Amino acid sequence: MVLTAIQSTVRSSTTYQHLSDRVRYARQDISRAMPAIPGLPYLYVSPFFILFAIFLLFPAAYTFYLSFFNYVGASNEILLSIQMGPLLITIPEIANLEFVGLSHYERLIFRDSLFHRSLFNTSFIFFVQVPTMVILGLATALVLDAKFIRAKGLFRTLIALPVATGLVAYSTIFLLLFNGEVGLVNYLLETIGVGSIPWLGDAFWARITLVVAVTWRWLGYNMIILLAGLQTVPEQLYEAAEIDGASRWQKFRYVTVPQLRPVLLFVIVSSTIGTFQIFAEPYVITGGGPSNATITIVQYIYNQAFIQLNLGYASAVSVILVVLVSAMSIIQIRYGSES
Amino acid sequence: MQTQDKQEALWKFGSYIFLLVVTAIVLIPLYWMLVAATIPQSEFFSWPPRLLPGTHFLENFRALQENVDFVRSIGNSIIIAVSYTILSLILCSMAGFAFAKYEFRFKEPLFYFILATLVLPIQLLIIPLFLLMVQIGWTNSYLAVILPWAANPLGIFLMRQNMKAIPDSLLESARMDGATEFQLYYKIALPTMLPSLAALAIILFLNQWQAFLYPLVILQDPQMFTIPLALADLVGQQRVAFDQIMVGTSLAVTPIFIVFLTLQQYFIKGILSGSVKQ
């Protein structure tokens, strides 16, 4: 964890520690003799765990359960009337459901072309966006790490500024910028003679627009993490490489990249998870169009669940999404930690 | 030797150019948003493009407020984000304190179990949470948005990591002075942890301020819309009134920018706390 800065603020309270050194043994006796309040730690963690169980664990399990059912309508039974027999907890019925077994999964995997489309779109964004952003983020971090650059703090703050724009806020900005009629981007392109590009009207360009938007939003975030990673690379390694006559590229390839490996891995894995969860951008910028060319998996879940009310089917898509994302993360971590 | 110097100078020059280009690309959309918010939509076309903000801000804002109750949605966002942040800080710091400073049965398994849930995408939870809120009649309520994410696994993780740095001797000397166990948390741990609490608070606030998918599902009454929902609602209308949308976007983003620029060290600390170093 990158927490040294936080911890150093705590260490400033060393005056206490000095006092404590002198009476350490006496105090240890006292604290051992003190009547411990047996349930106290549980009292501290229980508010967290109650909410955690109701709003995180239960829904996660219920999604899995729901994926084997068809949603027929809201149930009249009272919620959370969990029958607590002797160690028997039945899953509460919050909807009238019809058991359909694995048929949702069968339909999803073999027959649902719109789902396949959303999977393709999400993968396209993933394969173009993640490498672009990681390379660009790394380049920016490397430049900002160079000794000769002035006003580093200012540049870092400005490049990180999009992190503070909300998903919807920045999406609306890009909706305006890439608009075919009033968009500034097309206006500039026309003026320099390239001609206007149908950003939101063409399948390929609509996907590219999403890639540009997502990269713009997350570049600064990844740059900050990579920059922090770069600053932990020991200076001696570069000096040793220099003595051996290493070129700039060789220093990057044989010192920076191996040292930065864990941080790079974190950036890649979290970007992967991020791109598979994209929703606000296509919802606002492209609306999933043109003709479903930019519909993402999460958007498909949203449409299935809250527009068509196929809650069971949408749950099955959610389960597939979790499996996909976990599998990708595990593969990346496995591959990335090999030395 | 001289060619090497030249190469070095070229390298430096190139680095600066790269940095300036990246910064410009990042800033131009934000600047254009501010310009667009202050001019009527008809002037979006003008060539050369408008470089300076106009004076049409109030007119655009009036049109926006007539179209959607934007002031109300700012109020909703503030209520939700502030109460969520406070509640989550209390829950996470209390539990984090227990995990860092006390010994109890099942401590390790409980903690690693919480950590494991960090990988769950929130989309997985949305459908059952929606059903749950419908059943208990909480849709279109603040509580429905605030409660579910208050038990934040990342928050508890950060709090535990940071609270480990509180010296045991500090707590013990307070005990000797007659502090109750709760005072240890309230009077010793919280004040010492102020910087990391601030970092977490900013991340929590920002997440809630920007949250979209879950509020979109739970809050269907325009009166209850948060800022992101109100903005998305504007985009969804028949005629896309970009001037109004840009006023709304600037109003949503500018306060956050000010917070970002003044408290950016905490922002960055918060971002970094979420990352893995080794």
Side-chain angles (χ1 to χ4, degrees), chain A residues 1 27 34 63 150 187, chain B residues 16 45 124 135 175-176 273:
Chain A
M1 297 303 299
R27 204 150 3 74
M34 271 218 329
T63 305
R150 304 282 170 92
Y187 215 79
Chain B
Y16 265 112
F45 291 108
L124 185 65
Q135 279 288 308
R175 267 198 197 111
M176 272 179 58
S273 308

Side-chain angles (χ1 to χ4, degrees), chain A residues 170-187:
Chain A
Y170 97 82
S171 299
T172 58
I173 299 173
F174 275 82
L175 175 67
L176 172 60
L177 281 174
F178 285 86
N179 188 278
E181 293 144 29
V182 293
L184 186 67
V185 174
N186 264 352
Y187 215 79

Side-chain angles (χ1 to χ4, degrees), chain A residues 27-237:
Chain A
R27 204 150 3 74
Q28 272 179 0
D29 288 344
I30 294 169
S31 69
R32 255 188 232 115
M34 271 218 329
I37 307 167
L40 184 82
Y42 297 106
L43 215 61
Y44 278 122
V45 297
S46 54
F48 182 93
F49 266 98
I50 291 167
L51 284 188
F52 184 72
I54 299 176
F55 295 117
L56 208 138
L57 296 183
F58 164 70
Y62 199 80
T63 305
F64 190 63
Y65 172 82
L66 206 56
S67 72
F68 301 106
F69 290 86
N70 251 339
Y71 173 80
V72 186
S75 160
N76 293 322
E77 284 176 56
I78 298 162
L79 176 82
L80 295 180
S81 61
I82 310 170
Q83 290 155 27
M84 292 273 272
L87 290 175
L88 182 94
I89 303 167
T90 57
I91 298 165
E93 287 275 307
I94 49 180
N96 288 329
L97 303 170
E98 174 200 0
F99 184 74
V100 293
L102 287 168
S103 75
H104 284 329
Y105 291 98
E106 188 263 334
R107 183 178 143 205
L108 260 181
I109 294 167
F110 298 108
R111 286 184 286 137
D112 187 343
S113 60
L114 193 51
F115 171 69
H116 299 159
R117 178 123 232 196
S118 73
L119 190 63
F120 171 80
N121 293 336
T122 310
S123 313
F124 179 92
I125 296 169
F126 165 73
F127 280 114
V128 180
Q129 199 268 329
V130 173
T132 310
M133 184 171 62
V134 171
I135 291 169
L136 207 57
L138 185 59
T140 318
L142 280 171
V143 168
L144 271 184
D145 194 45
K147 286 193 203 83
F148 58 85
I149 297 282
R150 304 282 170 92
K152 286 178 182 170
L154 179 70
F155 278 119
R156 192 190 59 189
T157 310
L158 291 179
I159 294 174
L161 203 55
V163 174
T165 58
L167 293 173
V168 175
Y170 97 82
S171 299
T172 58
I173 299 173
F174 275 82
L175 175 67
L176 172 60
L177 281 174
F178 285 86
N179 188 278
E181 293 144 29
V182 293
L184 186 67
V185 174
N186 264 352
Y187 215 79
L188 288 173
L189 288 177
E190 257 172 44
T191 317
I192 59 172
V194 178
S196 68
I197 290 173
W199 292 107
L200 306 180
D202 174 81
F204 174 77
W205 290 113
R207 287 192 206 111
I208 295 296
T209 308
L210 289 188
V211 168
V212 172
V214 176
T215 307
W216 183 83
R217 167 68 164 76
W218 292 105
L219 177 69
Y221 178 88
N222 288 300
M223 177 205 67
I224 286 175
I225 294 168
L226 290 167
L227 196 54
L230 280 176
Q231 280 159 2
T232 64
V233 179
E235 192 61 29
Q236 299 98 299
L237 291 181

Side-chain angles (χ1 to χ4, degrees), chain B residues 202-221:
Chain B
I202 288 167
I203 297 299
L204 291 171
F205 182 87
L206 204 62
N207 280 347
Q208 189 60 267
W209 188 265
Q210 301 175 346
F212 180 56
L213 177 56
Y214 178 69
L216 179 69
V217 167
I218 294 294
L219 306 173
Q220 285 149 353
D221 175 4

Side-chain angles (χ1 to χ4, degrees), chain A residues 8 10 20 43-44 74 81 86 90 92 115 118 131 155 162 188 201 223 232 236 266 270-271 284 296 302 324 335 339:
Chain A
S8 67
V10 175
S20 77
L43 215 61
Y44 278 122
S81 61
T90 57
F115 171 69
S118 73
F155 278 119
L188 288 173
M223 177 205 67
T232 64
Q236 299 98 299
F266 173 80
S270 57
S271 307
V284 172
T296 59
Y302 176 83
L324 264 177
Y335 179 76
S339 43

